Amino acid sequence: MNYDAPEVQIKQGKYKPYPKIDLPNRVWPTKIITHAPKWCSVDLRDGNQALINPMNMEKKLELFSLLLKLGFKEIEVGFPSASKVEFDFLRRLVDDNLIPDDVTVQVLVQAKENLIAKTFASLKGVKKATVHLYNSTSVAQRKIVFAKSEDEIIALALGGIELVKQYEKKHDGQIFLEYSPESFTGTELEFSARICNAVTACWGISDTRKVIINLPATVEMSTPNIYADQIEWMARNLDNRENVFISTHTHNDRGTSIAATELALLAGADRVEGTLLSNGERTGNVDIITLALNMTTQGVDSQLNFTNIDEVLDVVERCTEMGTHARHPYVGELVYTAFSGSHQDAINKGLAYQEAKDDAFWEVPYLPIDPADVGRTYESIIRINSQSGKGGVAYILEKNYGYQLPKAMHPEIGKIVQELSDAKGRELTSKEIADIFKTTYFEAERNIKFIDFTHASNSQVSTCKLTYSFNGETILAEGEGNGPIDACKKALMKNCENDFVLTSYSEHSCGDKSSAKAIAYIEIQAKGVASCFGVGSDNDIATASIKALFSALNRAFN
């Protein structure tokens, strides 16, 4: 079959690079983010209008409740002049007294009198509201969609502002103004500053009448540094800058909305509009969860609460009917999971180091944030497939089942598990790993079988009486040695034809104190046979050790 791609001729001049910004003395590259911006969720408007099945009343109420729980103080609740469900939702919030006193709801509206009138009707009884007025200003929109000049576009915006001022006078509550030159990234900076300054002057900006100027990347058209340059340029050229909140609203057309927003904050932006999990038109809005948790990893308090991220996922996915990618930053199913052997080893060591040290500073390799800080457990951090290493298997057995395998044993069990994963062609569950461990070390076919064991010790010697079966024959043997294990070995050697030496031994308890069992690990080496481990478990540590010895013998000589 021929998989050659068809030839595509892209006409010369079809695409052009975005122009650089003349800002030779820019300062944003020297800045760092030191505090959280003002956050505004637009999930209920921008996010909702991008859904295949827009949210109904119940879903809107559930999502609004979640946003309050997460700590949002500004929430764009909809476009009430656009549809009945949008209007009715805001009325439900008012009538049921669901808007806390410290929360400002925001409504979007175009610069048309009938729409503004309906918007204010929806706001009746709202104590604090932001009226978000917008009109498109980009070169392409002016030329293609509206066929209007710059002056006509400004007149359209100012007409809307005058209407908002008229209705503001009749409103029994506090009204804030937000203005967006929509398609800001496709608009000349000089014209953007001109129209924004005209809007704030018309509104009557002052230290008691501040204005939000939202500078949206309605379509992401450049690298993030260009957007930062645009924000810094605007910050220098807006009148009454001290009374302006510069807001960002970035979309993800180029896949860099997070970076663009972070650089915009360095460049002077005060406020961020976005959605949970990046829902929104086309490639979506900037993801506020990622932005906030990025701040968390830098020691900055985001002022938002994402300590139970699975609850957030549950609500958002149910309300939007959209799934979350398994690799979505911070929240995806697999983002705290390592399959690679070297990654597993580093994480395992890092978690042990973190637990042992005194300070709280997080420094676990491959994990930029503690999964516990977003409500995730450590159970799925290491998962096993054919690419996994020996340390990962040991981690699963210890964290999930309490087996503290000696490090020298890791390659042996790792190889056994890897062979099973290869054979099945998939990831193994922790239960499957535990089962193969038990089958290999506790339940293997036995030519030599432990039956009973007693021992006595004094300061110089240990003696034992050992009962076992070999090839179906019951044998009673006695032996002396420098300890119970050595005495047992001496007893075995009276009838055992295979000589061997004990090369390592370790033990630990496993389980709750009241029901803990002793676990013993013994490594033996015999001539012509690879080094081999055995494992034993019993209420008595000496008996567990002897069982481990029999386990090793069965594995070595079967």
Side-chain angles (χ1 to χ4, degrees), residues 197-218:
N197 287 331
V199 163
T200 58
C202 180
W203 180 250
I205 190 171
S206 69
D207 59 354
T208 59
R209 194 169 167 79
K210 298 181 185 291
V211 178
I212 299 168
I213 293 295
N214 189 49
L215 301 174
T218 309

Side-chain angles (χ1 to χ4, degrees), residues 171-375:
H171 180 75
D172 185 19
Q174 193 172 8
I175 295 294
F176 303 95
L177 176 70
E178 175 175 352
Y179 174 70
S180 289
E182 193 205 4
S183 301
F184 163 73
T185 49
T187 306
E188 311 91 328
L189 285 174
E190 291 77 7
F191 180 52
S192 294
R194 183 181 164 208
I195 193 169
C196 290
N197 287 331
V199 163
T200 58
C202 180
W203 180 250
I205 190 171
S206 69
D207 59 354
T208 59
R209 194 169 167 79
K210 298 181 185 291
V211 178
I212 299 168
I213 293 295
N214 189 49
L215 301 174
T218 309
V219 178
E220 191 175 37
M221 303 171 72
S222 68
T223 51
N225 61 299
I226 297 292
Y227 186 63
D229 281 349
Q230 291 171 317
I231 297 298
E232 184 169 330
W233 190 98
M234 288 293 289
R236 297 181 188 184
N237 288 275
L238 288 175
D239 296 339
N240 297 289
R241 170 65 180 97
E242 67 278 8
N243 297 318
V244 173
F245 295 111
I246 294 180
S247 178
T248 66
H249 182 121
T250 58
H251 282 256
N252 200 39
D253 301 270
R254 291 171 54 92
T256 57
S257 61
I258 295 291
T261 302
E262 290 180 328
L263 297 191
L265 291 173
L266 301 181
D270 309 294
R271 182 177 182 271
V272 170
E273 292 186 351
T275 58
L276 303 175
L277 304 175
S278 199
N279 186 31
E281 295 283 9
R282 304 182 312 280
T283 54
N285 293 279
V286 70
D287 176 22
I288 287 182
I289 297 177
T290 302
L291 281 171
L293 293 177
N294 280 355
M295 292 180 187
T296 298
T297 67
Q298 303 304 301
V300 175
D301 183 358
S302 72
Q303 302 294 311
L304 295 174
N305 179 7
F306 291 114
T307 54
N308 187 353
I309 203 64
D310 288 334
E311 179 190 15
V312 178
L313 291 177
D314 178 58
V315 173
V316 175
E317 289 179 349
R318 183 169 57 255
C319 290
T320 64
E321 300 178 28
M322 296 183 68
T324 302
H325 197 284
R327 300 294 183 188
H328 192 106
Y330 297 113
V331 305
E333 179 188 354
L334 297 177
V335 295
Y336 304 109
T337 299
F339 290 101
S340 160
S342 60
H343 288 212
Q344 291 174 342
D345 182 60
I347 290 171
N348 194 6
K349 291 175 179 175
L351 289 172
Y353 175 77
Q354 191 72 26
E355 187 175 342
K357 69 193 184 86
D358 295 329
D359 64 277
F361 177 59
W362 182 255
E363 44 186 338
V364 176
Y366 299 110
L367 297 179
I369 193 172
D370 184 350
D373 289 343
V374 293

Side-chain angles (χ1 to χ4, degrees), residues 3 38 154-155 195 221 295 312 355 358 362 414-415 424 478 495 498 528 538:
Y3 291 100
K38 293 177 177 292
I154 292 175
I195 193 169
M221 303 171 72
M295 292 180 187
V312 178
E355 187 175 342
D358 295 329
W362 182 255
K415 181 180 179 182
K424 290 183 175 293
E478 297 184 8
N495 296 283
N498 296 305
D538 197 87

Side-chain angles (χ1 to χ4, degrees), residues 510-517 539:
C510 181
D512 298 331
K513 289 184 179 180
S514 59
S515 59
K517 283 185 173 277
N539 293 327

Side-chain angles (χ1 to χ4, degrees), residues 372-402:
D373 289 343
V374 293
R376 291 283 174 85
T377 68
Y378 296 134
E379 290 181 5
S380 63
I381 283 181
I382 289 176
R383 290 162 61 174
I384 305 301
N385 63 15
S386 61
Q387 306 302 307
S388 303
K390 54 188 182 295
V393 175
Y395 176 91
I396 294 291
L397 290 170
E398 178 174 356
K399 293 300 179 183
N400 293 2
Y401 302 98

Side-chain angles (χ1 to χ4, degrees), residues 9 20 27 221 263 266 362 383 421 540-541:
Q9 294 289 331
K20 293 191 297 183
V27 298
M221 303 171 72
L263 297 191
L266 301 181
W362 182 255
R383 290 162 61 174
S421 180
D540 173 66
I541 184 57

Side-chain angles (χ1 to χ4, degrees), residues 302-533:
S302 72
Q303 302 294 311
L304 295 174
N305 179 7
F306 291 114
T307 54
N308 187 353
I309 203 64
D310 288 334
E311 179 190 15
V312 178
L313 291 177
D314 178 58
V315 173
V316 175
E317 289 179 349
R318 183 169 57 255
C319 290
T320 64
E321 300 178 28
M322 296 183 68
T324 302
H325 197 284
R327 300 294 183 188
H328 192 106
Y330 297 113
V331 305
E333 179 188 354
L334 297 177
V335 295
Y336 304 109
T337 299
F339 290 101
S340 160
S342 60
H343 288 212
Q344 291 174 342
D345 182 60
I347 290 171
N348 194 6
K349 291 175 179 175
L351 289 172
Y353 175 77
Q354 191 72 26
E355 187 175 342
K357 69 193 184 86
D358 295 329
D359 64 277
F361 177 59
W362 182 255
E363 44 186 338
V364 176
Y366 299 110
L367 297 179
I369 193 172
D370 184 350
D373 289 343
V374 293
R376 291 283 174 85
T377 68
Y378 296 134
E379 290 181 5
S380 63
I381 283 181
I382 289 176
R383 290 162 61 174
I384 305 301
N385 63 15
S386 61
Q387 306 302 307
S388 303
K390 54 188 182 295
V393 175
Y395 176 91
I396 294 291
L397 290 170
E398 178 174 356
K399 293 300 179 183
N400 293 2
Y401 302 98
Y403 295 112
Q404 301 170 22
L405 275 59
K407 190 169 182 59
M409 186 179 174
H410 292 189
E412 181 178 287
I413 184 62
K415 181 180 179 182
I416 293 168
V417 171
Q418 188 178 53
E419 287 173 352
L420 178 63
S421 180
D422 270 331
K424 290 183 175 293
R426 60 169 173 80
E427 175 191 357
L428 299 181
T429 67
S430 61
K431 183 180 183 304
E432 286 176 313
I433 293 167
D435 287 346
I436 192 173
F437 177 74
K438 292 174 183 177
T439 300
T440 301
Y441 294 99
F442 294 123
E443 302 169 5
E445 292 184 7
R446 297 169 179 173
N447 292 331
I448 183 169
K449 183 178 180 180
F450 172 80
I451 297 176
D452 194 20
F453 165 79
T454 60
H455 72 98
S457 298
N458 56 39
S459 59
Q460 296 181 341
V461 68
S462 287
T463 61
C464 83
K465 293 182 178 180
L466 176 67
T467 305
Y468 66 99
S469 67
F470 181 64
N471 291 331
E473 178 186 354
T474 299
I475 299 172
L476 176 64
E478 297 184 8
E480 293 184 349
N482 58 17
I485 300 174
D486 187 45
C488 180
K489 182 198 172 192
K490 298 286 179 55
L492 281 168
M493 293 310 298
K494 292 180 179 181
N495 296 283
C496 183
E497 59 187 24
N498 296 305
D499 193 12
F500 63 92
V501 295
L502 279 67
T503 54
S504 71
Y505 170 82
S506 63
E507 64 185 54
H508 66 82
S509 63
C510 181
D512 298 331
K513 289 184 179 180
S514 59
S515 59
K517 283 185 173 277
I519 308 294
Y521 307 87
I522 283 181
E523 182 185 15
I524 66 171
Q525 178 74 63
K527 186 176 181 180
V529 177
S531 172
C532 189
F533 274 89

